[in-house]
Amino acid sequence: MKLLKFHLRYHPPGLVLEYIQKGLIKNKDIDILDMNCNTDIQELATKLYQREVLITDDVRNQLEQCLETLKKRIEHEGPMGKRFYIYKTLVTHVLPLTNVCFDKIGKRCLSGSYDRTCKVWDVDSGKELKTLAGHQNVVYSVAFNFPACNRVITGSFDKTARIWKPETGECLATLWGHAGEVVAAQFSAKGDHAATGSMDTTAKLFDVRTGTEINTYTGHTAEVIALQFDPNEGQRLITGSFDGTISIWDTRLKDRVSVLRGHEGEISNVQFNWDSSLVGSSSLDGSAKLWDARKTECLATVAGHTDEVLDICFDWAGQRMATSSSDCSARIYDVKSDFKELAVMRGHREEVSKVCFSPAGGCLLTASADRSARVWNTNTGNCLQVLSGHCGEIFSCAFSYAGDAIITASKDNTCRIWR
């Protein structure tokens, strides 16, 4: 084996080693999830050198330079960085929006709407690139296949999901079989599979290339409203249901591997952390739970909110978990040691329906029914900026991968790009 080059992975912090073995070029990921502004680069380089055979003396200096670049990228974002301003208002949907997302590079974004379409936008110009039309009801879920981002999946109330080519607007496959609205849809990490969750109480697994159904996952007794593939191999799938449980599935099998029980109300969202070792769940019972994904044990229950918990997310490094609630607040918890509450974000006047960390983790973004989104300091809980201007409640929001742009989607039929 011979190392060819280092590649930087900014979020979460890590390196990709490109090497050659028996004539074949391969890649190996090294996670550096604990890197922060206080990391000793020489000490970290020594640890990596000692445990990784591909890193030899002659590339030691290059390794330290790469680690220094990663560290500066984390320091650059900082919780007190520049303010966001309205860059573009995207107005062509004729009905309220449902969900939005960026592609990996941050040059395009998707918007789903009650008007039965998904639109592909150029972020820099604000121009509509394509309208993905064909669904017969609300387009509720939209997503790119990361990291390639050459395919789009949409889930609709018409009981189908569709796979599209965003460059041309061509529908490549229609995923049939559900007897109820499709409210969750996602590609696997490798992009070869797609999963859908439906109000018919089932989830399904599809072959992306052919659009054929591989498995139907049954066992939930109420609507499946959230799902996610594990971020690494994509061989595990979690689903959250209004029956108050979370199921873990092995995509190579039809029967579920385990059921996570303990919530006393409907599940509002479920998510893996970066290395797939933890599962977070939020519930309308007013609590969020943290689970060991391998032992399927409940590690902690956090019950700081005084009303329904509507959303949950991990930071990119998997060190912290954030929740948002109908009690008009968001909260951040440590998930790597004692699960203590780290910060409380108060200031919204109505329910906070969506929450997400900036890629480097210095900021938290929240979306609210009070028609505003807010950017918060994750260390102190202080509000850094109020993103105002929408005329209706904000349903969805997201950071770009680089952290230099935000998208918000509203009931006022528009989405806005903030830079």
Side-chain angles (χ1 to χ4, degrees):
M1 294 190 298
K2 181 181 179 182
L3 180 67
L4 299 177
K5 62 178 69 174
F6 292 104
H7 296 281
L8 299 182
R9 191 189 70 203
Y10 291 123
H11 310 303
L15 297 174
V16 180
L17 308 184
E18 182 178 319
Y19 65 99
I20 188 167
Q21 182 179 33
K22 296 181 179 180
L24 298 176
I25 295 178
K26 300 181 180 181
N27 291 318
K28 180 176 183 179
D29 284 84
I30 297 179
D31 295 336
I32 314 176
L33 304 182
D34 294 326
M35 175 174 275
N36 56 51
C37 59
N38 298 315
T39 297
D40 185 312
I41 295 302
Q42 290 188 337
E43 181 181 338
L44 176 58
T46 298
K47 290 180 179 178
L48 295 177
Y49 169 77
Q50 291 173 344
R51 79 182 194 207
E52 181 51 62
V53 296
L54 286 168
I55 300 175
T56 55
D57 284 327
D58 57 331
V59 298
R60 178 69 179 264
N61 289 337
Q62 185 182 355
L63 171 64
E64 291 184 4
Q65 291 173 8
C66 290
L67 294 175
E68 192 64 47
T69 301
L70 276 177
K71 181 179 177 180
K72 287 180 179 178
R73 182 61 176 262
I74 293 173
E75 293 172 339
H76 173 71
E77 183 197 75
M80 298 302 290
K82 295 180 180 179
R83 292 173 64 85
F84 289 90
Y85 65 93
I86 296 177
Y87 181 69
K88 297 289 181 182
T89 300
L90 312 181
V91 194
T92 56
H93 283 293
V94 296
L95 289 172
L97 278 77
T98 54
N99 277 293
V100 287
C101 68
F102 284 103
D103 70 0
K104 176 71 177 291
I105 302 175
K107 295 295 186 182
R108 295 172 299 170
C109 62
L110 301 176
S111 61
S113 171
Y114 279 83
D115 68 9
R116 306 181 180 186
T117 69
C118 169
K119 292 183 181 290
V120 185
W121 305 87
D122 181 281
V123 170
D124 291 333
S125 68
K127 292 182 179 179
E128 179 186 319
L129 299 176
K130 292 294 175 183
T131 295
L132 310 182
H135 281 296
Q136 302 302 306
N137 209 324
V138 176
V139 174
Y140 191 75
S141 177
V142 297
F144 281 106
N145 61 329
F146 279 77
C149 295
N150 59 358
R151 295 291 183 268
V152 168
I153 188 168
T154 54
S156 171
F157 286 4
D158 67 8
K159 306 176 185 178
T160 71
R162 292 186 179 222
I163 296 172
W164 312 79
K165 188 175 182 180
E167 291 79 12
T168 64
E170 176 189 2
C171 178
L172 302 176
T174 300
L175 312 182
W176 302 91
H178 282 295
E181 296 91 334
V182 176
V183 293
Q186 190 185 70
F187 289 105
S188 64
K190 294 182 179 179
D192 53 345
H193 292 152
T196 55
S198 171
M199 302 294 276
D200 67 6
T201 76
T202 72
K204 290 179 181 288
L205 184 71
F206 294 89
D207 183 295
V208 167
R209 185 178 59 85
T210 63
T212 55
E213 180 183 315
I214 299 173
N215 274 327
T216 295
Y217 298 124
T218 60
H220 284 297
T221 58
E223 297 90 333
V224 176
I225 51 82
L227 59 78
Q228 187 193 17
F229 283 101
D230 76 78
N232 298 309
E233 295 299 322
Q235 292 181 345
R236 284 184 298 169
L237 179 73
I238 50 173
T239 54
S241 170
F242 278 173
D243 66 11
T245 69
I246 302 98
S247 293
I248 300 180
W249 314 83
D250 186 321
T251 57
R252 296 164 295 183
L253 306 171
K254 187 170 183 177
D255 296 327
R256 58 183 169 185
V257 174
S258 58
V259 184
L260 309 181
R261 305 180 189 275
H263 281 294
E264 297 178 355
E266 296 95 328
I267 302 298
S268 56
N269 200 8
V270 290
Q271 192 175 81
F272 277 111
N273 69 337
W274 168 254
D275 65 6
S276 308
S277 62
L278 301 173
V279 171
S281 60
S282 56
S283 171
L284 304 190
D285 65 8
S287 74
K289 289 181 181 288
L290 191 69
W291 311 82
D292 186 308
R294 296 182 176 88
K295 297 180 180 178
T296 64
E297 297 174 347
C298 181
L299 301 176
T301 298
V302 292
H305 289 291
T306 58
D307 207 337
E308 298 171 340
V309 181
L310 303 177
D311 194 25
I312 191 171
C313 71
F314 289 100
D315 67 5
W316 283 67
Q319 308 292 318
R320 294 168 297 168
M321 180 177 75
T323 56
S324 65
S325 171
S326 296
D327 68 7
C328 308
S329 75
R331 294 169 185 261
I332 296 177
Y333 299 90
D334 168 49
V335 299
K336 281 300 182 181
S337 56
D338 55 5
F339 311 114
K340 69 178 180 179
E341 185 177 272
L342 301 175
V344 182
M345 286 70 174
R346 293 189 176 95
H348 282 295
R349 299 184 304 278
E350 295 186 45
E351 69 177 29
V352 183
S353 58
K354 187 72 176 178
V355 63
C356 54
F357 282 95
S358 61
C363 299
L364 190 75
L365 175 63
T366 55
S368 172
D370 68 8
R371 304 181 181 182
S372 75
R374 294 186 179 225
V375 182
W376 310 80
N377 182 319
T378 57
N379 294 321
T380 65
N382 293 334
C383 180
L384 302 176
Q385 188 177 355
V386 179
L387 307 181
S388 58
H390 279 294
C391 299
E393 61 184 278
I394 300 177
F395 292 131
S396 182
C397 61
F399 273 103
S400 65
Y401 179 77
D404 59 351
I406 286 171
I407 187 170
T408 54
S410 171
K411 190 177 180 179
D412 66 9
N413 305 355
T414 72
C415 53
R416 293 187 173 205
I417 305 293
W418 310 75
R419 306 208 78 159

